[in-house]
Amino acid sequence: MNAENQFSYNFFQYSIVDHVFTFGYAAMAAGLVYFLVTSRNALPRYRLASSLSAVVMVSAFLELLVISLQWQRTFVWDGSAYVVGDQLFSNGFRYMNWSIDVPALLVQLLVVVGVTGVAFRRGVVIFVAAGLAMVYTGYVGQFYEVDRPAPFWVWGAVSTVFFAVILLVVFRTTYGNASRLPEEVRPLVKAVFWLLAVTWMLYPGAYLMPAIWDSADGVVARQITYTIADVTSKVVYGVLLGIIAQRVSRLEGYGEARAQQATALRGGVTEVDPPGRV
Ligand code: RET
């Protein structure tokens, strides 16, 4: 049982949540187009990062659409407020979505900072294991959020331990590899750590919301928090990683090579053409 079902909502509270959900899945649809269209702007070795961004967008789009439809079906207008009808609202769908998106977002980072071979495989195992452990222990805890007995706090604390492990490994992956990357992108790689740390912390904040602000307004604040976290940790993060991949590719001469190829295909002059051909 989730805190959402305990309250009734006035027109403003209900509508704000409804609109925020729409913004959430629209942002994922827009992100999907962006990642598909820009994937060829970087070297082939970075394309897995764009594919993973696209996977994240599709799964988040579907999850937010389901959550949005669920909100509209759960709460019915009784003439003065939106009240629970004959079905309940659940945030559990979010956790199922995270079990796809958390590993995908973390593996994307390994691809963009250029981790390969054994280190890549080890990184994938750590990220997938710690990510799933964090999500599923939190999933168990959220069932207890209305009365908040011991399991709510214990599972939340266990989940936080895995979160700390992820943050540590992300720190080492970004700051540890920055010096191997071109100077121009180093500040951006470090910014990825801070973006991830700040935006991912919004999720435990939303988990704790019923304990901090147990009211209809608290529910509105929680769903806004989730949406800000979703758009920044998935879309903004993916765009930032994409920019890093494009810059490194350009510094390695990828843009020029593509321009030359395009000119040659059109039958124009390229640097490799013998003089006097045209
Ligand atoms: C939970 C339970 C309470 C303790 C902690 C949590 C952390 C959740 C996080 C989720 C991140 C989700 C992302 C989804 C993107 O698609 C599970 C709420 C620490 C960090 C990034």
Side-chain angles (χ1 to χ4, degrees):
M1 171 83 160
N2 283 146
E4 277 74 5
N5 303 301
Q6 290 177 287
F7 307 107
S8 59
Y9 302 90
N10 67 31
F11 175 74
F12 293 103
Q13 291 163 330
Y14 173 87
S15 303
I16 290 168
V17 174
D18 202 20
H19 299 159
V20 162
F21 283 153
T22 312
F23 168 68
Y25 67 75
M28 301 304 148
L32 177 64
V33 174
Y34 176 86
F35 294 122
L36 292 178
V37 169
T38 57
S39 80
R40 300 190 72 78
N41 293 355
L43 282 163
R45 71 166 190 264
Y46 292 122
R47 304 256 163 92
L48 177 61
S50 294
S51 308
L52 289 169
S53 278
V55 167
V56 169
M57 292 302 106
V58 172
S59 79
F61 171 83
L62 288 172
E63 176 255 332
L64 291 170
L65 185 63
V66 166
I67 284 246
S68 168
L69 295 172
Q70 201 197 189
W71 179 259
Q72 292 167 358
R73 266 193 316 223
T74 304
F75 300 102
V76 287
W77 182 249
D78 75 352
S80 55
Y82 281 94
V83 296
V84 177
D86 55 12
Q87 90 174 44
L88 295 178
F89 180 87
S90 169
N91 283 304
F93 296 102
R94 294 188 177 279
Y95 290 72
M96 294 304 117
N97 166 251
W98 300 343
S99 55
I100 298 171
D101 288 2
V102 164
L105 291 167
L106 294 170
V107 172
Q108 229 176 306
L109 177 65
L110 296 173
V111 173
V112 172
V113 299
V115 178
T116 53
V118 180
F120 179 77
R121 284 192 287 276
R122 205 182 44 219
V124 171
V125 171
I126 295 175
F127 279 150
V128 172
L132 294 181
M134 174 186 82
V135 171
Y136 293 140
T137 49
Y139 175 70
V140 178
Q142 59 90 37
F143 280 110
Y144 300 93
E145 70 177 23
V146 169
D147 296 325
R148 294 182 295 286
F152 174 77
W153 300 104
V154 173
W155 289 115
V158 175
S159 175
T160 305
V161 173
F162 292 112
F163 182 39
V165 170
I166 292 173
L167 284 182
L168 191 74
V169 180
V170 169
F171 180 79
R172 286 174 43 188
T173 307
T174 48
Y175 275 69
N177 285 292
S179 56
R180 290 200 299 109
L181 290 160
E183 212 171 324
E184 193 188 315
V185 299
R186 281 180 207 160
L188 292 182
V189 172
K190 292 176 182 170
V192 171
F193 169 76
W194 292 105
L195 176 70
L196 188 145
V198 171
T199 59
W200 285 38
M201 275 185 202
L202 295 173
Y203 292 100
Y207 179 96
L208 285 175
M209 199 66 87
I212 304 166
W213 196 359
D214 201 12
S215 68
D217 282 335
V219 166
V220 177
R222 159 143 95 168
Q223 296 303 338
I224 292 175
T225 305
Y226 271 139
T227 305
I228 293 173
D230 282 341
V231 174
T232 50
S233 74
K234 299 179 217 255
V235 186
V236 177
Y237 172 86
V239 170
L240 183 56
L241 287 182
I243 290 173
I244 294 172
Q246 281 170 41
R247 291 218 180 147
V248 177
S249 301
R250 206 188 54 222
L251 290 168
E252 292 184 14
Y254 180 63
E256 276 164 44
R258 282 225 317 170
Q260 274 184 22
Q261 199 183 26
T263 319
L265 283 174
R266 268 187 265 115
V269 184
T270 69
E271 277 167 37
V272 289
D273 275 352
R277 209 189 105 190
V278 261

